[in-house]
Structures are given as C-alpha cells and as structure tokens.
Amino acid sequence: RKLYEESQLHSQKTNEDYTPIEQRNLVMEAYYDYQGLHNTRVVSVSTSSSICGSSFELCSSYQEKQKEKELFYSTIKSILPASFRIGQDCPKEFRDAIAKDVQAHVGQTMDIVVESSSDTRNTGSTTTTTVQPAKPIPFLPDAYQLSVDRRTIRRNPRLSEFHDWLKIQTNAGFLTRQETVSMIPPAVLGVQPHHIVLDMCAAPGSKTCQLLEIVSSSLDQQQQQQQREPLGFVVANDVDSKRAYMLVHQLRRINSPAIFVTSCDAQFFPSIEPIFDRVLADVPCSGDGTIRKNPGIWKKWNPLGSFSLHGIQLNIALSGARLTKVGGYLCYSTCSMNPIENEAVVAELLRLTKGSLILVEKHLPGLVVRPGLHYWKVLSAKGKKRIKGKQKPKMIAKREQWAATDVDNCGDEPNNIEQDLNRNEEEIEEDDDVDDVDDENNGIAQDKTTNNKVVLEGQEYWEEENLRQNAIQQGLIPYDTFENVPELQRNRIRKSCFPPTAEECSTMHLERCMRCLPQDMDTGGFFIALFQKISPIGAKATKKAARQQAAKDSQTSRYADSTDANNSADNKSNELVLAKEDSGNSDFVHVDEALWPSLSDFYGFSDDFPKDQFMSRECGKAKVIYFISKAIKEQLIDKGIQQKAIIINSGLRAFERNSKECDVAYRVTQEGIHYIAPYMNNRFFVVNAQDFCTCMKPGGIWIGNFSTDFQNILKTLSPGSFVVSLAGFEKDVAKKMFLVMWRCRGDALNCLVAKVEQLGIESKLRALGLLVTVPELKKQHQSTETDDLEVSEVSEE
C-alpha cells in the first residue's frame, strides 16, 4: 500500500516539480583553467590532406584565453547535433541512391517549430528555428552532420518523414547513426579488407560496425578472383556479457560472417599469438567529453574518477600493444578531456614498451584536432564521507519515524535507535584529509580556510599562481611531484599520472596525440593516440602484464581447491566452463557428418561446398547451424581460443531446424543465404522483378499470382524451404538479392524474410530502378489446409 501511494504521488508530479540542471561546475572550470585547456586557439582550418585539417597557436593574451573559454562552455551547454554515415560496405549504386535521399530530406534549409529554449517549465511556448542543410563530414566519405539533435529529429512533425527513413535505412544496415568524433578512431587506424582487427572494448558497437564494414567491403573486389567471403575479420570484445549481446544485435545489421564476439576483461585478453594488424582500445573513461548528451555530468563531475580509471586504461592499452603484430597499429582513445586519462596513459605506455611503440602523426582532411599536451597538473580532491546504506541520515530518519508511530510494538526501540545513532557517528568512514563535506559541490570537501574567496577577473585571473589558488579554493589539491602525494593516497595517485621529464618529452612526441575539443567541429570532446608497433614488446612490459595476470589469478583463487595446489590449471578451466554456463554459451563444434548427405541431396550442394565452415554450439542436437568464415576458423577456433575466453557469437545463421513437416530437418535462413546460394543446384530459382516483388507480400501467397513459368516450377516443388534470386543478380553476392521462401503442402508459399530486411531490399530495388508495384494478390479458388498457410510460425524473428 505504501509503494502504491508513493507511486501515485510520483505520477501527480508536474514539470514544475523538477528543477533543470544547472549547466555550471566551478570545480571543473577551475580544473581545466589550471590545466591550460584554453591556452591554444585555432588559426586556420583546411580540407587539404597535406596537413591535419587545422593549425593552432598559443593564446598571446588573456583576452584570447577568455574567448576560448567562453566558446568552449557555450558549445558544451548546447545540444549535441546528430550525425550518421552510409555503410562503407554498401555497393556504389546504393550509396549514390542514399546520398540523393539525404539531399532530398535534409539537403536544404528549412524552418521548424520547436519548444522554446527559455521555457524551463514546459508551458507549451514554442519558437521557430532554422535548420541548416546536412553538411558532409570531411574526414570520412558519405558521412553527414546535422544541425539538430536526435530528440528533435524523433519528435518534430516536420522531420517525421526523415526520421522514418533513417530508421528503415539503419535497420537494413545501410546507415549507422554515430557521433562524429566516434568515427575518428576507425578512420585513423587505416583498416584494409584483409586485416585482422581487434576492438577491445566494443559495446555498444558503432565503431565495431565501422570496422566490420571496411573488412566486409572486400566482396566487390573478391568476386573478380572468385572469392566468396571476406579475407579479414573483426574480434569484438566487451567485459559485460549483456552489453556483448547488445553488440551482437547491432552487428547483425551488417550481415557479415567476419565477426567474432567475445566477453572477457580487456586487461587480461587471452594470451595468443600477436595476429592483429589493427587494435582499437576505446577504453572506459570518465566521459566528460560526452557532457552535451549526458547533462548529469555537470552535477557529478570531479577529478577523482580519473585516478581510479588510469590504471585500468593503462592495462588495457598494454594488453592491446601485446596483441598487435609488429608493423601493426594500436589506437588508444577516450571520450574524456582529462590528461590523467589521456597523455598520462600514453606516456607511461611508451615508457613501459621502451621503443617498441612509437606515436604516429595521422593526417585526415578536414579533421580539426589540437596537439597533445607535454605538461599537465596533477590535481586531486578532498574525499567525501562514505556512509554505509543503513547508516545514511535518510535511513536513520526513517527508522526514527517508524519507531515514533509504533512505540507499543517496538518496546524500547527509541532508546535503541539513540544508541544506533551514537554508534553510527563513530563508524562513519572518511578520508584523513576531509575537513567538511559539501553535498552541493559534487561530493568534494571544501577547505574551511577558503570561506572568504577572492574573485579575480581579467589578466590577473589568468596568472599561473592565481589559477592554482582558484583551484585550491574549489577544493582541489595540487601535487607537484609524486613525492608530495601522501602515502595513503599513492594507491590511487600513481607515479605514472605525472608528466614526463623534459628529456622524455623530446623522444615521446606527445604532440602527435589528437585532442578534439567541442567548439572546433561542433562535436563532443575526444582524445586519440595512434601507435605503431615497430618491434616485439620488451621484458619490462611483459613482466608487468605477467604481474597483472598473477594478480587476477590470486583474486579468483577462492574458487580453487586449496587442498591441491597442483590443480590450478584444471581450476582455471573449470572457472571458464562455469562462466560459459552462466552466460548461456557453449563452444562452436563441427556439425555431425551424418547430417550432410540428406541436406546435400535436398539442396543440391556442389562438391566445393565448404562443410567444415558450418558449425553449431556444443549443446546436443543443433537448433541452429552457423556459417563461420575461413579466416576465423583457422586463426581463432582451430588455435583454441574457445578454451581461453567466453565466445558470445560468431558467423551467420545458415540453417535452422524445421518446425514443419519436410523431407529434411533443416531449412536455409535469410541471414546467411548469400553464402549458401552460390553452392545450390536444387531449389534455387532465378525470377523476374515482378515475381521477386510478389514473393515479399505478407502471409500465404497463392502460386497463381506468379508468372506461368514460375508457377510450373512451384507446382512440382516439394514442401520445404527454397531460394529465389532476382534475375541478373544470382552471382552478385555483395548485393544480396535473395529471398528465402517456404513451399507449403497446398498451392501456397510464404516469405521467410523479416519485415525489416524486406524494407531494405525494397530500398535496393528502388535504387536500381527495379521496384515493381504488385497489384492486389489473387486468392485461391479452393482453400488449402489451414496449417499450410500458418507458416509464419517459422518466419525469422
């Protein structure tokens, strides 16, 4: 009853009960002012490929610094504009058609009515604003940035048609809605179709999609060499298995077998031979670069999280360097502007690898990036009192309230609560350097000696010593050297957080790092560092990686049998098996050989049909059979990767077990049909555009709706799945003009293609000028058995 009353009270709240987030954080301002974030300004921007899109110089006066600061904060207080790109694996005809659609929808200036920005109480006041045309993103082909945010596209009636078009093209895999700065790391990596790529922290998957599109785009060139599948592949990893499953859902749009999804801690990615030509380490970070789309950061930001993440980021980067082959490239990136998470990690990685890695300067036309920092300040903050759940003031007040309303039942409960209150005051944990707590200031304690703050302005404010004092007034604690860090704080603030010496700077070339500030391209904040591995990792970095693995093993030793120290290897294997069972996954194994004779006879597979590339999960009789690319099978599965990591998914679904009566146990699926159809000699038919479009009609389709030639074929066809191809595209695997159909026992058939993919095929037909308007379907003169038309039960989800 109490929960119900609280929910009713909550539902009665209006917009007036909520206060908008204040877009200001004095601690963040003081931190980045002292770091010198606003000390450079853009001089010129160029789209020439000979320079990195822009040039910068140091601000020569405090007015220029103040102007940079104002531009920075005015930008991050505005809504982040939406952006998207056309898939790089799309054939040219489709890309050109989609580009024309973009121009038709958002290629011109338009006026739209939006809610007034000053209407904080949402009273219904509106204003008219001008939407500028979508502008191409210069450093990436077929990518666009809009002048409106995602929320406006989703909710504004004037843009509803464009929103619907976006959804259709995205679901079909032709478009990916992705933040502009998120497109940079795959672009600077320079991935080629034959490369083996690792994305260490892949979820939610927009960068992984970009990498996979490049690897899968090789099909057009491969057709000339009679290659039917990509030569390279992408390994996508995420520590959270739930996020990894979301990643699988995202990658299915690309419809490529060149993907291998794992779930393990990127710091301890399985020790395998360095086979990766390109490695992307887009590491977890504090994310203050995303403040335009995550306004909660305004209230919660403080510098303490960067110190906690620094070690994790360094370990992931070191693991990525170990897995990169000599001559390959590693890209380290964050969506943070904090040098503790950026240049400090890069500098320590260069120290540990001792010349095995070098920073590479990358030039992309039109990309506006600022050089990396050589020097930064280490600023901590006074900690916040940490109070256990039952000892929070809110919980104590609740217990007092309950005791006061029910004294008879509680006996001497009030006295007990009094004792608890006294005990709680003694048990509150707090850092040694905490003087007071200011809950309104992001949990950062304020120094009692700074109550009378002096506010400086103009040139005086921008003097180095005054910036330092301002940071101290806001509760920040500067440390000039590691020796100044208190002993108890050294587990958090490591020596690697401090800037390199002048001698180290001369060899590290940290200026080759790339800093994207929001005001430069109207984007979020981002950081990118590109390394090339020129020699094997040295002993120092190898020993550090070994220590990390040993630390991890000691943490999991509670699962081991303490009575038998010799069973450590077996215990590790058992832990992996238990983890796989918890995640609902099992290993990929070869399909039972006894299955193939009947399938080969039914579908007429040719002699070169790659049976060894079709695998199932190790869980009894297979419900689904997957097509695995040859490169993944040889480089990963055959080399025992499944004994070292949890495998979430790989390949494409090729066959699924029938739920209807048929001569064989399995039907072909739409997801993997373009890798099966080239080998089929039976139950594969080439039809004209009229019949092809008729096949996509919903429900049971009477065969009398097709051309005479196709009718004659269907009448002799036994029940089960079959494939139709559009005439002229039967050998063009890249365009995937195939439909999986089901022949019913009566005179009807059914399309086993999901509605989303049907819309995508219609878009391709429209681009090719082959979309045919199908008249209203004729109905059968005599009804067939009802279960024949209920084939929707086996339609793909």
Side-chain angles (χ1 to χ4, degrees), residues 547-726:
R547 288 196 301 270
Q548 294 168 4
Q549 186 63 47
K552 182 197 175 190
D553 292 343
S554 66
Q555 291 174 0
T556 59
S557 62
R558 62 182 181 274
Y559 299 109
D561 185 0
S562 58
T563 60
D564 188 357
N566 296 324
N567 290 336
S568 60
D570 294 337
N571 288 324
K572 288 182 184 179
S573 177
N574 292 336
E575 289 168 20
L576 183 60
V577 170
L578 290 173
K580 288 182 178 182
E581 290 178 354
D582 291 340
S583 62
N585 291 318
S586 51
D587 291 345
F588 282 94
V589 295
H590 289 286
V591 177
D592 188 356
E593 284 292 331
L595 185 67
W596 290 118
S598 60
L599 288 178
S600 296
D601 292 342
F602 190 73
Y603 295 109
F605 294 138
S606 57
D607 294 337
D608 59 343
F609 181 72
K611 294 187 295 184
D612 59 334
Q613 289 180 231
F614 289 85
M615 310 183 81
S616 63
R617 305 307 287 257
E618 189 180 25
C619 51
K621 188 178 180 181
K623 181 180 179 180
V624 180
I625 297 175
Y626 297 87
F627 173 75
I628 308 293
S629 77
K630 185 177 181 181
I632 288 178
K633 180 180 178 299
E634 293 178 349
Q635 295 287 344
L636 296 177
I637 295 178
D638 290 350
K639 292 185 178 181
I641 186 68
Q642 297 186 109
Q643 282 70 53
K644 300 177 180 179
I646 299 173
I647 312 304
I648 299 296
N649 195 272
S650 184
L652 298 173
R653 291 180 297 173
F655 299 92
E656 287 189 0
R657 203 162 54 231
N658 287 326
S659 60
K660 290 290 183 180
E661 183 179 344
C662 182
D663 293 341
V664 292
Y666 290 87
R667 62 181 178 88
V668 293
T669 67
Q670 182 69 19
E671 184 176 296
I673 187 56
H674 48 313
Y675 293 102
I676 300 175
Y679 301 99
M680 291 177 62
N681 294 314
N682 298 338
R683 306 182 74 85
F684 179 83
F685 310 108
V686 179
V687 299
N688 58 36
Q690 180 77 36
D691 287 340
F692 191 84
C693 293
T694 304
C695 285
M696 289 189 287
K697 287 295 181 179
I701 309 170
W702 179 46
I703 63 175
N705 290 289
F706 297 99
S707 64
T708 304
D709 292 341
F710 194 34
Q711 285 186 45
N712 295 333
I713 294 173
L714 294 173
K715 288 177 181 178
T716 60
L717 196 65
S718 62
S721 63
F722 66 98
V723 180
V724 297
S725 172
L726 181 62

Side-chain angles (χ1 to χ4, degrees), residues 201-387:
C201 309
S206 57
K207 299 181 190 67
T208 314
C209 285
Q210 193 173 346
L211 297 169
L212 184 59
E213 288 168 5
I214 299 172
V215 171
S216 302
S217 65
S218 60
L219 285 176
D220 285 338
Q221 294 81 15
Q222 287 180 4
Q223 284 178 350
Q224 301 174 4
Q225 306 171 4
Q226 297 302 312
Q227 296 288 340
R228 290 172 174 167
E229 62 183 86
L231 297 178
F233 61 87
V234 176
V235 176
N237 176 72
D238 199 87
V239 65
D240 188 339
S241 59
K242 292 181 180 179
R243 285 168 57 88
Y245 280 113
M246 291 172 56
L247 176 66
V248 171
H249 178 74
Q250 170 86 306
L251 296 173
R252 274 183 176 159
R253 300 182 304 107
I254 311 302
N255 201 226
S256 172
I259 185 67
F260 195 78
V261 182
T262 63
S263 179
C264 63
D265 191 337
Q267 301 177 83
F268 313 107
F269 196 85
S271 297
I272 59 176
E273 177 187 353
I275 63 172
F276 296 104
D277 301 282
R278 302 288 187 268
V279 175
L280 173 59
D282 186 49
V283 298
C285 63
S286 60
D288 56 10
T290 68
I291 196 169
R292 297 180 71 178
K293 62 180 182 180
N294 296 316
I297 294 175
W298 284 108
K299 184 177 181 180
K300 298 179 180 178
W301 189 94
N302 71 69
L304 298 178
S306 296
F307 294 113
S308 301
L309 290 165
H310 173 85
I312 297 173
Q313 293 162 340
L314 177 59
N315 292 342
I316 293 175
L318 185 59
S319 178
R322 174 176 53 84
L323 295 164
T324 306
K325 65 165 56 174
V326 175
Y329 290 85
L330 163 69
C331 180
Y332 174 85
S333 63
T334 73
C335 50
S336 169
M337 296 175 284
N338 197 325
I340 302 300
E341 304 177 60
N342 297 333
E343 286 88 351
V345 174
V346 171
E348 183 64 12
L349 183 61
L350 291 172
R351 288 191 199 100
L352 289 171
T353 54
K354 288 189 173 297
S356 297
L357 297 178
I358 58 171
L359 275 172
V360 178
E361 193 171 9
K362 186 72 173 183
H363 303 295
L364 293 178
L367 177 62
V368 184
V369 290
R370 306 194 182 205
L373 304 176
H374 285 279
Y375 180 77
W376 55 90
K377 287 86 173 178
V378 178
L379 298 169
S380 183
K382 295 184 178 182
K384 181 180 179 180
K385 293 181 180 179
R386 297 186 297 274
I387 306 176

